[in-house]
């Protein structure tokens, strides 16, 4: 057929063929010429070894297929254009993101398929292919770019565009690589939110407040007022009712401040129990009124530790030459002065509320505390203590179990045998009592007594393992009063003993559990009162 074509057309004919020898992998090109010579018409055949060229062609084909497969299967969206900016390829990811398929998009201008707008202004973004074709540089999209897909979705994306060049350096097209930025954007926004917000209350944090204070510290924002608040009784709430209750207290304070303040006021939690409100262009009287409204609103709120109470301070910057740091210090000083003046009454109220809550939670504890207080005062009087010492002993006896407020009822009311863990929980109550009482000046001496009222004379008690005279005298007295009342009135997990049996336990515990001298005095007091205390 090739010879016939050469004869018919009079033109050179070519064909390629592979060596027929199985082990020979060479390729050849045969060129056939027909020479129409009247004397001797003939064919001339020229054969060339083209194996090298065929190997190069195969290599280029494999490389092209590999590139094509890579572009189509890559995890990012890929679009390529020709030198006019018209689409020549979309991979599957690009199809999914744009809503266009390869067949629909082929030959269309890029900006008809890849519609990009600014997230905030909604203005159309520059066509990346056009810019690359003009400048010949690799470019990246601006931040806050949205892709408007064919099916109406708005997808935040990030991308880059690069020129496709031939061997002479001429731009023959553009390749755009882009990805769905939604997850990454959400994570970035979350990180940014957390970097400027308090995780518990959702208010701004100290870092954000410091930056805003610098930003707003300008003449046009004068007068610039500051309010600082300190939550009273947060530590008491944490110690008595647990940190979850303390968190609820802080959240309620934050929520109230947000409700009452203006929308453009800067409210921040700058410490564990400290809040601040930054008020640009606000006179001091207006700031005071805001503080008053917040205090009033919170005074009507009640949580585990009772009525919510906060201390507040305020100051204002009125002239440009005033240092904002000095204004902040003045605000803090006023708040601390108010807190000091109110501290004892507020905390005393909190202690009384905790005891009231304990008695409501465990009604038997009220009678137990009253009896321990009475027995302790009788022992103290028999030992010749003065009135002040007896009053201290009575108060310590009344408060000795305040720490039980933080122990669950499922343990305190358990009728069966307590587990090792449950015993450990119950043995925490002297330390909890100490934490609650030690922060109050009026109760600090009692806190040390109550902390060690479960120590034993032989040093095997808790929480410190003190012995004999190491244990304060009032604590040794309360230990006997507490034990006798517990024995004679019983516990949920233990039946009560008779007075005679309890006396035998006291006698047996001399020099081991109890101070022997105080035990003898107690037994004398018991006898004088006809064994009925």
């Amino acid at each position: 057929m090739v010879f016939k074509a050469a004869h018919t057309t009079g033109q050179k004919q070519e064909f390629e063929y592979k060596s027929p020898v199985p082990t020979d992998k060479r390729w050849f090109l045969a060129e056939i010429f027909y020479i129409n010579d009247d004397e001797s018409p003939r064919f001339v055949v020229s054969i060339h070894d083209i194996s090298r060229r065929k190997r190069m062609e195969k290599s280029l084909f494999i490389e092209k297929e590999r590139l094509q497969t890579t572009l189509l299967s890559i995890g990012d969206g890929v679009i390529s254009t020709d030198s006019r900016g018209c689409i020549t390829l979309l991979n599957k990811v690009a199809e999914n993101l744009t809503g266009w398929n390869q067949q629909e998009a082929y030959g269309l201008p890029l900006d008809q398929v890849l519609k990009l707008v600014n997230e905030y202004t909604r203005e159309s973004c520059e066509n990346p292919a056009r810019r690359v074709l003009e400048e010949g540089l690799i470019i990246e999209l601006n931040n806050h770019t949205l892709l408007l897909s064919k099916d109406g979705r708005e997808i935040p994306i990030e991308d880059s565009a690069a020129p496709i060049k031939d061997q002479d350096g001429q731009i023959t097209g553009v390749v755009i690589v882009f990805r769905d930025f939604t997850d990454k954007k959400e994570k970035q926004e979350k990180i940014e939110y957390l970097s400027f917000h308090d995780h518990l209350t959702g208010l701004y944090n100290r870092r954000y407040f410091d930056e805003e204070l610098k930003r707003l510290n300008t003449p046009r924002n004068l007068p610039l007022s500051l309010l600082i608040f300190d939550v009273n009784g947060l530590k008491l709430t944490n110690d008595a009712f647990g940190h979850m209750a303390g968190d609820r207290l802080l959240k309620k304070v934050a929520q109230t401040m947000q409700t009452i303040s203006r929308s453009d006021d800067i409210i921040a939690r700058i410490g564990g129990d400290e809040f601040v409100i930054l008020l640009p262009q606000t006179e001091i009287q207006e700031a005071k009124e805001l503080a008053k409204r917040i205090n009033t609103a919170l005074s009507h709120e009640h949580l585990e530790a009772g009525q919510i109470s906060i201390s507040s301070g305020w100051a204002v910057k009125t002239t440009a030459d005033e240092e904002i740091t000095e204004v902040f210090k003045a605000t803090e000083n006023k708040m601390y002065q108010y807190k000091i003046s109110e501290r004892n009454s507020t905390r005393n109220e909190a202690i009384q509320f905790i005891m009231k809550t304990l008695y409501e939670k465990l009604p038997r504890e009220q009678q137990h505390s009253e009896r321990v207080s009475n027995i302790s005062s009788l022992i103290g009087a028999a030992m010749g203590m003065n009135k002040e010492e007896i009053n201290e002993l009575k108060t310590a006896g009344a408060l000795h179990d305040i720490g039980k407020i933080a122990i669950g009822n499922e343990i305190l009311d358990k009728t069966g045998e307590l587990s090792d863990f449950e015993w450990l929980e119950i043995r925490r109550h002297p330390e909890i009592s100490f934490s609650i009482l030690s922060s109050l000046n009026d109760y600090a001496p009692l806190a040390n007594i109550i902390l060690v009222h479960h120590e034993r004379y032989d040093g095997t008690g808790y929480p410190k393992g003190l012995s004999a005279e190491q244990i304060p005298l009032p604590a040794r007295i309360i230990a006997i009063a507490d034990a006798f009342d517990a024995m004679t009135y019983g516990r949920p997990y233990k039946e009560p003993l008779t007075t005679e049996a309890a006396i035998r336990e006291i006698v047996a515990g001399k020099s081991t559990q109890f101070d022997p001298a105080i035990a003898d005095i107690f037994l004398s007091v018991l006898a004088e009162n006809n064994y009925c205390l």
Side-chain angles (χ1 to χ4, degrees), residues 266-409:
I266 308 299
I267 311 173
R269 180 186 175 204
I270 60 173
D273 53 5
E274 284 193 349
F275 296 80
V276 63
I277 302 180
L278 186 57
L279 305 160
Q281 300 178 1
T282 304
E283 297 288 351
I284 191 64
Q285 190 57 41
E286 189 177 348
K288 289 180 181 179
E289 287 298 322
L290 175 60
K292 183 178 179 180
R293 290 198 303 273
I294 291 172
N295 274 277
T296 301
L298 287 172
S299 69
H300 293 100
E301 299 287 347
H302 290 75
L303 295 176
E304 287 88 343
Q307 182 182 21
I308 297 178
S309 168
I310 59 173
S311 300
S312 54
W314 48 80
V316 62
K317 176 176 177 175
T318 56
T319 61
D321 58 348
E322 288 181 272
E323 290 291 337
I324 194 64
T325 53
E326 294 302 316
V327 176
F328 187 85
K329 286 180 183 177
T331 310
E332 278 191 316
N333 289 339
K334 186 174 288 291
M335 182 269 292
Y336 286 133
Q337 289 171 8
Y338 181 83
K339 191 173 185 69
I340 289 170
S341 66
E342 296 291 322
R343 176 179 294 168
N344 284 340
S345 62
T346 300
R347 291 186 175 180
N348 286 338
E349 288 174 8
I351 293 298
Q352 297 307 315
F353 187 85
I354 290 171
M355 291 304 296
K356 178 175 178 289
T357 305
L358 175 64
Y359 295 154
E360 290 172 352
K361 171 183 174 181
L362 297 167
R364 66 175 178 274
E365 283 297 326
Q366 182 169 4
Q367 289 77 33
H368 170 68
S369 296
E370 290 172 353
R371 289 192 297 266
V372 170
S373 176
N374 180 56
I375 295 170
S376 297
S377 66
L378 291 174
I379 296 172
M383 294 177 67
M385 287 184 171
N386 61 39
K387 186 176 180 180
E388 183 178 336
E389 291 171 328
I390 292 173
N391 285 336
E392 180 182 77
L393 196 55
K394 287 180 69 174
T395 305
L399 297 174
H400 76 285
D401 276 343
I402 191 173
K404 287 184 178 178
I405 190 69
I407 309 299
N409 276 38

